[in-house]
Structures are given as C-alpha cells and as structure tokens.
Amino acid sequence: MIKYKSFYFLCLCFILLTGCWDVINIEERGFIIGTAIDIEEDGDEKQPEYIVTNQMVIPAGIANQNQGGVGGEEKAFLNFTSKGKSIYEVNEELSAISSKTPFYEHLAILVISEDVARKEHLFSDLIDIYIRDVDMRRGIKVIVSEADAKQLLDFTTPEDKLPARHIDELLDHSTKEIGVLRSKRVGDIEEYHIREKSFVLPLLHVNEYVDYKAGAVFHGPKDKMVGIFHAEEMQGLEMMKTKAIEKVIEFTYKDYVFALEVNDLNNKLAVDPSNIDEIKVTIDIEIEGIIKESFGKIDLTKPSELKAIQKAVSEQVKDSVEKAIKKGQEELGTDVFNIWQNLETKHYDTWKNIKDDWEKGEYYFKKATFEVNVVTDVFSMGTTNKTD
C-alpha cells in the first residue's frame, strides 16, 4: 500500500512540476509591429516573388528615445527583408536570420505596394493569409504605398523613431478629420472581398513627410486597385459618408481665401429605384461652422456678405462631391459611395434583381443619376471682424 502511495505521490509531483513545453521567454521574442509587402518587378506574372519587410521592435532603443537619448543612439527597430514565393516561406526565413522568435500578435500596420494592389486577386489572397493565421489579429490596419512599401517602414521622425507606430498614429488622427480617409482593418477588407464590394484604402507616400491625403480605389468584382482619389475627391467622398467634424474647409470668396471650421455635419442619401435603368440618387449635406480665417477686406457682419459666403462654401463642397462621384462612376466604375447598401436595406426586392449587375454586366451603377444638395450655416465669424 505504501508503495502505491509513493507512486501516486511521484506522479503528482511530475504533473505539478511540468512546465509549458512551448513556452518562449519574453526576452527571446521579436515583436513584429509592421509588415510591408512588395513584389519582384521581373518575377513570374502567375506566381510572383514577394519581398516582405518585417519591422521588429528593439526595446532598448525605445527606452533611449523615451529618456531623451540617454545611453546612446541605438535604433528603436530593425527591418528584416526576405524574398519568397509565399508569405509563410518568407516568415520561415525571418526565423532563420533573426536571433529572436518572430511574434506577430502586436502587428499593427500592413503596407501593400501599389504594384501588389493593382494585380488581380493578389491583394485579396494576401489578406486571406492574415485572416487565417491564428497568430494575427483582425484589427491590423491596411494601407497602400504609392512607391515601394518598404520605404514607409524606413521613415522616422524626430518625435517617433518607430515608423510603424508613426503611421498608426497618423491613421488614428485622420479618423477625427474630414477629407482624410479612415483606416480599414483586415477584417473589414475580408468582408468587402467576400461580398465583392468596392472600397477605398489610404494611399501613402514619403517625401519630406508621410503624405496621407489620397485614397487607393479598389473595384469589388475585379478584385484589384483600379485608380486613385486625390485630396479634393477624398474630401467629397468623406463629406458624403462621414459624420465626423473638426475639419477646416478652405474656400475662395471674391478671390480671397477663407477657412471654415466644421462644427456639425449631417448627410443623407436617398435612392429612387423606380426605373432601374436610371436609378436616382439624392445626396443632402448640411454644414454648420465658424469662419476661422480670412484674408479679404470684407465686412463679415453684413447679412448679404454672410449669405454669399455660405453659398461659396456650399458650392465648394458640392464641387468636391460631384468630382468624386464623376471619377468613381464614370472613370473607375466603383460604388465606393455605398449606394448598394441603401438599395439592399431599403429596396431589397429591386436589389435582388440587379445585384449581380451592379458593378459589372448591365452595370446599373454607371446608369444611376446623382443630385447633390449642400446647405451651409455660418453661425459665427470668430472673435474679430476684418473690415480693413
């Protein structure tokens, strides 16, 4: 009996003393916070070779940055670039060349080059990889680089020595502004791909700073990037779709430049599908704001001047919205305005009959007509009135 008790005691000890077989100490992990994907220019069209750059954090470099450079000028990151026919192959190579085990759960930014985005089905295949990998999170923000994606992971600022974190903060800041595109995550993009719906991603490029006021337009059925919305078209798109405020709109009145700070924005989209060969879309936009800046010798307290200024703002906004519609509908053929969503939710019987021909085939989206109405209310001229 004593022998059995000793045996059970030893078994219990083995169970209690057993550690996790796959545990990795935190000092041995390489935290990947950003990934950039390019393709070999002279590679095989059917099976391109990926050039993948992973940005790994160096904790000591971050500590030095936070302490104002105390302890030396050690970099806060390392970029590892590898080539391969698949993302998994490249990641395996990264494991071989780094002394640390790559850890992707903190991956925040995925940068895709424009060359990758413009190849049919390639972008959606890449997103699918990041959705399926259990070590990846669906909240990874996705952007498109106008040049090589790797360049964005090399760009640092005096305030932030981590390029991926700098981009992440830029995108977070843009969610509070009109005219700058909201970031999208891999989970959102996967839903667009599944439903074959068009969408827009931030298009960034590096000059003296990271410019992020343009958008890469993706065509749902074609499954690739088909064009670019520039700053004015992006403003029009955002004025149609967003409820955000805290944006200053520049406009011209009597050859002078004015700036209106938006304090409230309301937009409404209505669709009349009674004639499917000419679906009517009405967009109503209401803006309330304050004149923050003016360079003209104009008495802003005169009712006639105020009325004319409000009209000038409305015309500027209407023009940007109509430019976005014209480019999206006529040139690119992409319903990035979510007209389809209004049809699906409010006119489902009609939508059932035309959904397969909305952005292809009969192309009912291209036949739609748009009416844009903008009303502006300037309720304050600021603290001063410039009259001379």
Side-chain angles (χ1 to χ4, degrees):
M1 187 69 178
I2 295 176
K3 184 187 297 185
Y4 287 119
K5 287 182 178 180
S6 300
F7 173 76
Y8 291 138
F9 177 75
L10 287 173
C11 289
L12 181 62
C13 288
F14 285 134
I15 293 172
L16 295 175
L17 294 175
T18 300
C20 296
W21 65 272
D22 61 345
V23 68
I24 299 175
N25 293 326
I26 191 169
E27 295 83 0
E28 298 174 0
R29 291 189 184 274
F31 292 94
I32 307 298
I33 61 169
T35 296
I37 302 179
D38 297 287
I39 54 175
E40 192 68 59
E41 291 183 2
D42 301 325
D44 186 351
E45 283 289 327
K46 293 183 179 180
Q47 182 57 58
E49 187 173 36
Y50 299 111
I51 304 172
V52 180
T53 302
N54 283 303
Q55 186 162 105
M56 184 182 294
V57 176
I58 301 176
I62 297 177
N64 289 340
Q65 176 186 345
N66 294 336
Q67 295 169 12
V70 177
E73 293 298 325
E74 185 175 0
K75 288 181 67 175
F77 68 94
L78 278 177
N79 285 345
F80 295 91
T81 301
S82 303
K83 295 182 181 181
K85 295 290 186 181
S86 73
I87 301 299
Y88 290 111
E89 178 185 342
V90 173
N91 288 341
E92 286 297 321
E93 185 175 337
L94 173 61
S95 301
I97 64 178
S98 173
S99 61
K100 297 183 180 294
T101 302
F103 186 71
Y104 293 94
E105 288 194 15
H106 293 283
L107 181 63
I109 298 295
L110 176 61
V111 187
I112 305 294
S113 73
E114 186 175 340
D115 289 338
V116 172
R118 286 187 179 272
K119 288 192 177 295
E120 193 169 351
H121 304 308
L122 186 57
F123 177 63
S124 59
D125 289 344
L126 288 172
I127 292 297
D128 189 61
I129 292 170
Y130 285 85
I131 287 289
R132 291 176 182 273
D133 195 320
V134 295
D135 293 328
M136 307 288 185
R137 296 183 178 180
R138 294 176 66 89
I140 302 168
K141 295 173 184 174
V142 184
I143 59 176
V144 178
S145 173
E146 196 169 19
D148 290 342
K150 181 180 182 296
Q151 288 185 9
L152 285 173
L153 292 189
D154 286 328
F155 182 84
T156 60
T157 67
E159 296 82 14
D160 201 333
K161 300 298 183 182
L162 280 174
R165 186 168 69 181
H166 176 61
I167 294 169
D168 191 26
E169 290 176 353
L170 284 179
L171 295 175
D172 283 343
H173 177 67
S174 75
T175 61
K176 299 177 181 179
E177 297 186 8
I178 301 169
V180 181
L181 182 68
R182 277 72 182 145
S183 58
K184 289 184 174 61
R185 304 168 191 271
V186 292
D188 303 323
I189 297 170
E190 181 73 359
E191 292 184 20
Y192 284 117
H193 285 153
I194 291 172
R195 303 194 66 178
E196 292 189 346
K197 300 306 178 187
S198 299
F199 58 95
V200 182
L201 290 181
L203 180 67
L204 279 61
H205 71 273
V206 178
N207 288 319
E208 296 179 1
Y209 56 92
V210 176
D211 190 337
Y212 63 113
K213 293 186 178 180
V217 182
F218 286 79
H219 191 285
K222 292 181 180 178
D223 195 13
K224 66 176 183 178
M225 177 182 167
V226 293
I228 297 172
F229 270 8
H230 296 289
E232 189 174 8
E233 293 151 353
M234 285 305 307
Q235 177 178 278
L237 177 65
E238 291 295 300
M239 295 296 276
M240 285 178 62
K241 295 177 64 176
T242 189
K243 300 294 183 183
I245 55 175
E246 300 182 16
K247 169 65 179 179
V248 174
I249 299 175
E250 290 186 355
F251 64 98
T252 302
Y253 175 63
K254 291 186 177 180
D255 296 326
Y256 294 111
V257 176
F258 286 73
L260 177 82
E261 181 182 66
V262 178
N263 290 95
D264 193 20
L265 171 68
N266 291 294
N267 42 41
K268 184 173 66 174
L269 187 148
V271 179
D272 178 6
S274 54
N275 179 3
I276 63 171
D277 290 318
E278 194 176 298
I279 292 174
K280 296 180 180 179
V281 182
T282 303
I283 300 159
D284 294 314
I285 300 172
E286 296 179 355
I287 303 168
E288 290 185 1
I290 300 172
I291 297 293
K292 298 294 288 185
E293 192 173 24
S294 63
F295 295 94
K297 299 177 181 180
I298 298 171
D299 186 355
L300 301 178
T301 62
K302 288 184 177 180
S304 59
E305 295 285 10
L306 177 60
K307 185 176 181 180
I309 286 173
Q310 291 177 156
K311 182 180 179 181
V313 176
S314 297
E315 288 177 349
Q316 193 278 335
V317 172
K318 181 178 180 179
D319 184 58
S320 67
V321 171
E322 289 178 340
K323 284 180 178 178
I325 293 170
K326 183 176 181 179
K327 190 166 192 177
Q329 184 183 32
E330 297 178 13
E331 182 179 333
L332 305 178
T334 55
D335 179 15
V336 294
F337 316 106
N338 293 349
I339 311 301
W340 68 268
Q341 198 169 47
N342 186 287
L343 285 166
E344 183 182 53
T345 55
K346 297 184 178 181
H347 309 279
Y348 185 68
D349 290 339
T350 301
W351 177 244
K352 279 194 305 182
N353 296 327
I354 66 173
K355 64 179 181 178
D356 293 331
D357 290 293
W358 183 241
E359 290 182 279
K360 59 183 179 180
E362 290 292 327
Y363 234 126
Y364 290 107
F365 171 64
K366 281 192 173 183
K367 300 176 184 179
T369 60
F370 288 81
E371 178 186 337
V372 181
N373 305 306
V374 182
V375 176
T376 302
D377 179 19
V378 177
F379 63 85
S380 174
M381 299 299 177
T383 57
T384 62
N385 176 43
K386 182 179 292 187
T387 58
D388 52 38

